[in-house]
Amino acid sequence: MNYRHAFHAGNQADVLKHVVLVALVEALRGKDKPFSALDLHAGVGRYALAAEAAKTGEYIDGIGRIDSATDAPAAVARYLELVRGFNPSGRLEIYPGSPRLIRTLMRPEDRLTLVELHPEDHAKLRAEFAGDAQVAIHRRDSWEALRGLLPPQPRRGLLLLDPSFEQPDELARLARGIATAHRRWPEGVIAAWYPIKDRPPVDAILSALPPLPHAWAAELTVFDMLFPARLNGSGLVLVNLPWGVEAALCEALAWLQPRLARQGGAWRLEPLPG
Ligand SMILES: C[S@@+](CC[C@H](N)C(=O)[O-])C[C@H]1O[C@@H](n2cnc3c(N)ncnc32)[C@H](O)[C@@H]1O
């Protein structure tokens, strides 16, 4: 396992993923019932942008392009409000990862389960949430954890799948993971992130998914030309998308795309076969 998210924290892909994630958790909070959130590729939880992220500078073309925006639509504005909450000085120094974003939105009755296999990142994640009784942390393989941890209690909730795509077959494995998760937890909201390097492999996986209820693909690319060697953009498969989130995401993606664009690119939010 060579991938360390610290080098990529706050990049264009994180912005898309985290705007969607915050919108989903807000929708779960909208009802007066507890929820479970499972983040099976958790990373370390928070990132100092002056550390590894400064070496790649990827965050400059991600959160760095929008962090001071005052005209963002509601879903992006809520995400920016959360990011600003980690940066009280007003300077962008800390980027919250998915575990921290979810945890910030949780109520006392909600539960968060985190899985991270990398030994160092797992140790940092444990330190980040030390003493937090609402958060359970596992060091295990996420694909095996899918079977062991689903369905959660309470059964209402959200699963985030966000692998690092180090293996050539990881798109296919993600598709299998979505299918397994839905089989074991039919009512669970699923958000599964994928990179867009080349179009055909992504389309092959999306069309190979089994029928899924209220399922959508949300995508944002930042280049017109898709060079397979670079991250041209990314997307999420969304299952059991809560009512109302679709409209909020349309507005968010339309606002984000031109601001994150490097050389053209596009966005889409399209239903998958149900
Ligand atoms: C893209 S990063 C996660 C970023 C995080 N979800 C966020 O948005 O802040 C993917 C993480 O998954 C971990 N990982 C990769 N394969 C895994 C596996 N099979 N089981 C558990 N963790 C894994 C990596 O070590 C890495 O920290």
Side-chain angles (χ1 to χ4, degrees):
M1 298 180 76
N2 293 319
Y3 180 92
R4 311 301 298 277
H5 195 65
F7 289 95
H8 310 288
N11 71 3
Q12 42 119 346
D14 260 8
V15 171
L16 171 69
K17 173 180 44 183
H18 293 155
V19 166
V20 172
L21 178 66
V22 167
L24 294 174
V25 179
E26 283 289 3
L28 288 168
R29 268 162 50 106
K31 280 202 181 143
D32 198 15
K33 288 183 182 155
F35 68 79
S36 303
L38 297 98
D39 184 347
L40 298 195
H41 305 87
V44 307
R46 82 165 66 206
Y47 301 91
L49 293 173
E52 289 93 334
K55 298 198 172 116
T56 64
E58 288 182 23
Y59 79 89
I60 294 165
D61 282 321
I63 184 65
R65 288 196 180 192
I66 59 168
D67 68 307
S68 54
T70 53
D71 61 340
V76 183
R78 183 66 176 122
Y79 155 78
L80 291 176
E81 186 186 344
L82 295 182
V83 174
R84 286 174 192 148
F86 286 85
N87 294 283
S89 72
R91 285 188 308 277
L92 183 60
E93 292 169 335
I94 299 292
Y95 187 77
S98 50
R100 262 292 157 218
L101 288 169
I102 298 169
R103 182 65 185 94
T104 305
L105 291 170
M106 281 165 52
R107 304 156 301 179
E109 63 272 31
D110 303 323
R111 293 286 170 270
L112 174 59
T113 300
L114 303 174
V115 173
E116 174 55 53
L117 193 54
H118 193 289
E120 281 173 40
D121 284 1
H122 172 261
K124 286 184 182 166
L125 189 65
R126 265 200 182 287
E128 174 71 22
F129 291 100
D132 190 332
Q134 284 179 255
V135 182
I137 302 179
H138 302 259
R139 179 163 181 239
R140 62 199 279 192
D141 176 67
S142 54
W143 307 116
E144 170 272 319
L146 260 189
R147 290 184 170 74
L149 298 174
L150 298 185
Q153 215 34 263
R155 282 189 76 117
R156 223 178 134 253
L158 164 80
L159 169 69
L160 175 64
L161 297 174
D162 184 20
S164 35
F165 289 90
E166 286 178 273
Q167 311 295 332
D169 67 339
E170 232 162 346
L171 264 177
R173 193 152 68 156
L174 183 70
R176 288 199 300 279
I178 295 168
T180 304
H182 180 64
R183 217 169 33 246
R184 297 190 64 87
W185 189 23
E187 67 272 53
V189 176
I190 302 175
W193 182 88
Y194 54 88
I196 300 177
K197 294 190 165 178
D198 206 0
R199 196 70 246 173
V202 170
D203 288 340
I205 290 305
L206 293 181
S207 58
L209 286 170
L212 296 162
H214 306 291
W216 298 78
E219 293 187 350
L220 190 157
T221 54
V222 298
F223 293 100
D224 279 333
M225 297 284 288
L226 301 192
F227 290 119
R230 75 179 171 203
L231 187 67
N232 301 292
S234 63
L236 292 110
V237 171
L238 304 171
V239 181
N240 285 323
L241 190 67
W243 189 88
V245 176
E246 176 207 340
L249 290 186
C250 270
E251 209 185 12
L253 295 181
W255 185 90
L256 281 172
Q257 200 286 325
R259 286 163 178 83
L260 297 178
R262 304 280 295 278
Q263 276 175 338
W267 68 273
R268 70 180 187 129
L269 183 65
E270 280 180 15
L272 295 169

